[in-house]
Amino acid sequence: MGRTLNEKEVKQINLFHHHNNGGGRSEVDDVADHYGGEMLYDGDNCVSTYDKDQPEMNFGGTMWGEGGQEEDKQSGKQRLLVVANRLPVSATKMQNNEWKLEISVGGLVSALLGLKDFEAKWIGWAGVDVPDKAVQESLTKAMAEKKCVPVFLDKETVNQYYNGYCNKILWPLLHYLGLPQDETYTSESHYDVYKRANLLFAEAVTKHYKEGDIVWCHDYHLMLLPQYLKQYNSKLKVGWFLHTPFPSSEIQRTLPTRSELLKSVLAADIIGFHTYDYARHFVSACNRILGLEGTPEGVEDRGKLTKVATFPIGIDANRFIRTLTLPKVQEYLTNLRERFAGRKIILGVDCLDMIKGIPQKILAFEKFLEDNPDWSDKVVLLQIAVPTRTDVPEYQSLRRHVHEIVGRVNGRFGTLSSVPIIYLDRSLDFQALCALYSITDIALVTSLRDGMNLVSYESKQVVLILSEFAGAAQSLGAGAILVNPWNITDVSSAIAYALNMPCEERKLRHKLNFEHVTIHTAQEWAKMFIRELNETVVEAQLRTTQSWTQPLLPVNDAIEQFVQSDNQLLVLGFNATLSSVECPFKDGKVIDLGSTLNPNLQEPLRRICNDCQTTVIVISGSKRDVLDKVFDGYNVWLAAENGIYLRHTSGDWTTTMPEFSGMEWVDSIKHVFEYFTKRTPHSFIEERETSLLWNYKYADSKFARLQAKDLLLHLWTGPVCSSSVDVYQGAQSVDVRAVGLTKGAAIDRILTEIAYSIVMDKPINYVLCIGHFLGKDEDLYSFFEPEPSVQPLRLSKSKAAVAGNGLKSSVKSDSAGTHCRIATCSTVESVVTYESTTVLDIKRENYFPCTVGRKHSRARYVLESSKDVVLLLEGLAEVLPSLCA
């Protein structure tokens, strides 16, 4: 991870210097001079139109018009299958019944232009209804030359899948507009057609898939696609990216098909969002709706980790800069400067959409003119509203409403020679837009909810007033004036401040935005996502190899190695390993009787503990008095409270990690636990000295899991936010401890204390580590694993220093195994020093890390239940020699 972050940082720094120094042109730069830009997505990012006279484009390193028949394997590049609702190639039927292909390029295609290391192919809806199979074959062949694969959908499918489920249900929900009240759009038939359409996309992918390909799925139109693809081939590399917001779990949970969609998306290897908030909402929804555990890396489901990350998309900044030098753009600039001489220009470029906040923008400008009448003939709002979904009644109503407001404002503040608002119900070509951006003084973006509004990236050398609800606010917030678009007065004041902003502040804000835009380009966005996808797949394979496929413990081998060794160490968990539990109910209430030692283990464990060549450590999250009671009379080391407290049964308790003994946070956490204990029959709280645990192992399992999900949400949004604690979710419990307190962190210091306390004349050459530990406690298994890169060190420390730093600093590992050096001591003025003697001599064949009853674990081996632990320890006891005196 550190290597990846360093590579990213170096690349960004180099890219920034390249832009500032007028970096050289690439093949992509030469091609990009000529193309226009119709956004592929119907929701958040439509700005400009396509260029019909555009030449062939370099897409993914192969000329579209030349590479269609070329064998991909000849290029030696990794293949990338981009699956989106729309293709960047549209088919238009001419009057002579012939079909003409036109290329419409948007942000996604622009991003893929820079991927020279990949052989890209695009799969998407053809965009037209072509029932004739012969015509379909002809179009498919023609589009193949453009590296595109069309998916043909009939009119009824498009109406229910695209217009119905996607645009009437998913899109409003994702933008916080809620589900429609019209029962026509809430019927199951739309979802059935949505599934059928996703299956058609999946069939197209599988038809063109070759081993090693990357499949990159895009947007809410294809939320079921990752699952369909994984069902076809579980080893397929699949990424999914959402180009819209993702709402909070409270909104998402209203969707009738919420669980099916979330589960399907989680089949992908990596899920990408524009902002951290959207990613956080997704993880929260998976936790609250599906009951899955959220981690800093993503969402974990039965051992499978789906990575969830943020990838803010950008623009091709060089393209805008180069376009300004074109003669046609210079002509535009001259005309615009003459037209608006003496007036400040406020520019708005949006799709005419419910979420773009165009009415709020115009009302705020009206408020500004009311409060600042001197500006009425010195400023103009130029609003370009690109029509979308013109056949939808809601959009027709929005268009009429905007026209009414524009007419009223111009009627109030306009004159015979000028009006304060120029409103265009149309799109402009890219060159005209570049000219407008160049002369603009203020760019005004008032989105009510947006995925990643790229207009805010395209504005050059202007003051940017940006809605705090736009995804770009998290990227450009440092250089922009952030506003709440619903607060008309706030936006009006921001306009006034921007118009009167000092020159130095304007330059500083522009510098911050320009640096971000030139570094975080569309091409870098695509490269970053694909790189993360590849790395995620490799990491998942490593986890599968190293962690999730444990064989059963080879009991005979473990016993044989035990016999052959002459200094053994057994590290044993207690709960669900050595314990048995009595019925805790009395009068319908839970009576916490605690755990007791399994009766079948009492005699074999006593024999093992009394063996002079064997050291036994019982490490548990239980309290000290519990372990004292259970193991009274055993010759054993007890590590209570996850290893913070340690004692031999013949001695007193000592503290191994005093820095974790503070419990200032416990009251706020306990308050939440008490609330859920009342709500969940047969659950109870275990209050320990260094942790707090809510246990629901005796409660109704289904209901208790739902309560646990709500409890976790309460913790993360409340007391955990302001406390230095970790939350551990077990199979039937929620455990809260101080940050960093794990059994793996404790074992280092435990061994140090033991090595100090006993005379060890020969190294430990056998370790058996068994337990039913929480996932984050399984770093205990890793402690004894050989680490070839670690160099040997000699220790000469006081006891206190040793207890503070632990043995791990003195671990030597090589092909022969793991060695820890310490031993004979001498005391001078209360300072204990250790001369070099080996304590641990561990090889892979004499180390047996084993989990109990957990199917997914870091341990190398597994025992199915505590009954198997009994059989194992009985076997070890039987081979012991006569007890030592």
Side-chain angles (χ1 to χ4, degrees), residues 337-471:
R337 289 189 180 110
E338 292 177 356
R339 168 74 190 277
F340 298 110
R343 303 180 75 182
K344 297 287 187 179
I345 298 176
I346 302 174
L347 179 63
V349 182
D350 306 278
C351 293
L352 184 57
D353 211 322
M354 303 292 185
I355 64 167
K356 295 301 181 180
I358 295 178
Q360 287 79 4
K361 180 187 302 185
I362 298 173
L363 290 173
F365 185 63
E366 180 183 30
K367 172 68 173 173
F368 166 77
L369 294 177
E370 289 175 353
D371 296 342
N372 303 272
D374 295 343
W375 277 98
S376 59
D377 58 348
K378 299 176 183 178
V379 66
V380 59
L381 171 61
L382 180 53
Q383 177 63 51
I384 299 169
V386 181
T388 59
R389 305 177 191 176
T390 54
D391 58 334
V392 178
E394 291 85 354
Y395 285 77
Q396 295 171 352
S397 175
L398 173 64
R399 184 171 179 266
R400 289 192 299 269
H401 179 53
V402 171
H403 286 182
E404 291 172 0
I405 301 175
V406 170
R408 186 185 72 227
V409 175
N410 282 340
R412 289 185 61 192
F413 300 100
T415 65
L416 292 175
S417 58
S418 66
V419 290
I421 301 177
I422 297 178
Y423 182 87
L424 299 182
D425 241 337
R426 47 161 294 191
S427 58
L428 294 182
D429 64 71
F430 181 69
Q431 295 179 352
L433 274 177
C434 285
L436 274 176
Y437 287 141
S438 182
I439 67 166
T440 294
D441 298 285
I442 298 174
L444 185 53
V445 179
T446 55
S447 304
L448 306 180
R449 186 69 62 177
D450 231 342
M452 181 62 71
N453 191 300
L454 296 181
V455 175
S456 52
Y457 282 70
E458 296 163 357
S459 306
K460 181 177 180 292
Q461 293 186 352
V462 301
V463 177
L464 175 61
I465 300 177
L466 180 60
S467 166
E468 63 188 50
F469 300 117

Side-chain angles (χ1 to χ4, degrees), residues 641-885:
E641 301 274 356
N642 299 299
I644 283 187
Y645 300 110
L646 177 71
R647 86 172 183 100
H648 190 272
T649 47
S650 61
D652 297 325
W653 286 102
T654 60
T655 302
T656 62
M657 297 187 290
E659 67 272 22
F660 289 117
S661 59
M663 291 281 283
E664 300 83 3
W665 45 268
V666 71
D667 289 339
S668 59
I669 304 293
K670 188 177 180 180
H671 179 73
V672 176
F673 279 9
E674 288 173 343
Y675 172 70
F676 280 90
T677 300
K678 294 176 182 177
R679 287 174 49 173
T680 313
H682 302 152
S683 67
F684 60 96
I685 299 172
E686 295 183 49
E687 187 170 357
R688 301 165 179 172
E689 294 180 69
T690 59
S691 64
L692 199 64
L693 186 140
W694 184 65
N695 198 319
Y696 55 91
K697 59 185 175 182
Y698 306 121
D700 177 78
S701 58
K702 185 176 181 180
F703 177 72
R705 282 196 296 269
L706 292 173
Q707 295 300 301
K709 288 188 294 182
D710 280 347
L711 182 147
L712 288 169
L713 285 175
H714 277 72
L715 290 179
W716 285 119
T717 57
V720 170
C721 294
S722 57
S723 303
S724 298
V725 296
D726 280 333
V727 178
Y728 298 78
Q729 184 175 12
Q732 297 173 311
S733 64
V734 176
D735 191 355
V736 181
R737 316 175 194 162
V739 171
L741 175 55
T742 67
K743 292 178 173 68
I747 192 64
D748 191 354
R749 303 188 189 184
I750 290 171
L751 287 179
T752 302
E753 290 287 346
I754 293 175
Y756 169 79
S757 302
I758 64 177
V759 177
M760 192 173 293
D761 56 358
K762 51 191 172 184
I764 294 172
N765 54 10
Y766 176 92
V767 174
L768 175 65
C769 184
I770 299 181
H772 180 89
F773 303 127
L774 293 175
K776 294 181 180 179
D777 278 327
E778 290 193 337
D779 52 355
L780 177 63
Y781 297 128
S782 306
F783 178 83
F784 299 100
E785 291 285 2
E787 299 175 3
S789 60
V790 180
Q791 299 300 317
L793 294 175
R794 294 172 61 89
L795 288 184
S796 179
K797 295 178 179 288
S798 68
K799 175 184 176 182
V802 172
N805 293 306
L807 282 175
K808 204 63 175 180
S809 61
S810 63
V811 174
K812 172 188 175 183
S813 298
D814 52 29
S815 59
T818 300
H819 306 275
C820 292
R821 299 187 178 275
I822 299 179
T824 58
C825 62
S826 59
T827 305
V828 180
E829 296 181 349
S830 299
V831 176
V832 183
T833 60
Y834 294 87
E835 298 173 1
S836 180
T837 302
T838 300
V839 169
L840 289 177
D841 182 12
I842 304 302
K843 306 178 181 63
R844 182 175 176 85
E845 59 267 23
N846 59 14
Y847 173 46
F848 295 88
C850 180
T851 185
V852 180
R854 289 177 61 90
K855 295 181 180 180
H856 309 291
S857 170
R858 299 183 195 177
R860 197 188 311 157
Y861 304 111
V862 62
L863 287 176
E864 293 182 354
S865 70
S866 58
K867 294 180 180 179
D868 297 307
V869 177
V870 173
L871 296 175
L872 172 63
L873 295 186
E874 285 178 344
L876 293 178
E878 289 176 1
V879 299
L880 284 174
S882 58
L883 299 181
C884 300

Side-chain angles (χ1 to χ4, degrees), residues 452-612:
M452 181 62 71
N453 191 300
L454 296 181
V455 175
S456 52
Y457 282 70
E458 296 163 357
S459 306
K460 181 177 180 292
Q461 293 186 352
V462 301
V463 177
L464 175 61
I465 300 177
L466 180 60
S467 166
E468 63 188 50
F469 300 117
Q474 293 192 18
S475 303
L476 301 178
I481 301 175
L482 297 181
V483 295
N484 177 359
W486 296 99
N487 188 336
I488 302 303
T489 303
D490 185 25
V491 180
S492 172
S493 299
I495 294 173
Y497 182 76
L499 288 171
N500 295 286
M501 183 178 292
C503 182
E504 289 301 318
E505 182 180 351
R506 179 186 292 262
K507 289 181 180 179
L508 176 61
R509 288 178 179 270
H510 167 67
K511 180 176 180 293
L512 293 172
N513 287 340
F514 184 77
E515 288 178 359
H516 180 89
V517 169
T518 51
I519 292 174
H520 300 90
T521 63
Q523 290 79 14
E524 282 302 305
W525 165 78
K527 292 177 184 177
M528 180 67 71
F529 185 90
I530 296 173
R531 182 164 61 245
E532 291 283 352
L533 173 56
N534 276 322
E535 292 177 357
T536 298
V537 171
V538 172
E539 292 169 0
Q541 291 170 348
L542 289 175
R543 281 195 302 271
T544 300
T545 302
Q546 298 174 358
S547 304
W548 308 131
T549 56
Q550 319 98 303
L552 290 174
L553 176 70
V555 175
N556 290 335
D557 291 347
I559 294 176
E560 182 181 352
Q561 288 292 329
F562 181 81
V563 172
Q564 293 178 0
S565 60
D566 56 9
N567 193 2
Q568 304 94 346
L569 173 66
L570 272 60
V571 181
L572 307 175
F574 176 48
N575 294 306
T577 304
L578 304 178
S579 66
S580 64
V581 181
E582 300 178 17
C583 179
F585 297 106
K586 183 177 180 181
D587 298 330
K589 297 182 180 180
V590 173
I591 306 299
D592 183 13
L593 301 177
S595 299
T596 61
L597 184 65
N598 188 319
N600 296 323
L601 278 174
Q602 292 177 2
E603 184 55 33
L605 183 61
R606 192 180 304 276
R607 284 180 54 85
I608 294 172
C609 291
N610 288 336
D611 178 51
C612 61

Side-chain angles (χ1 to χ4, degrees), residues 27 57-70 72 75 77 113 115-116 118-120 145-147:
E27 294 176 12
M57 293 189 304
N58 186 327
F59 181 58
T62 300
M63 293 301 293
W64 281 19
E66 301 172 358
Q69 307 302 322
E70 181 182 358
D72 296 310
S75 67
K77 301 175 180 178
L113 284 170
L115 299 180
K116 294 184 178 181
F118 298 89
E119 190 74 30
E145 297 179 356
K146 309 294 184 184
K147 306 293 284 184

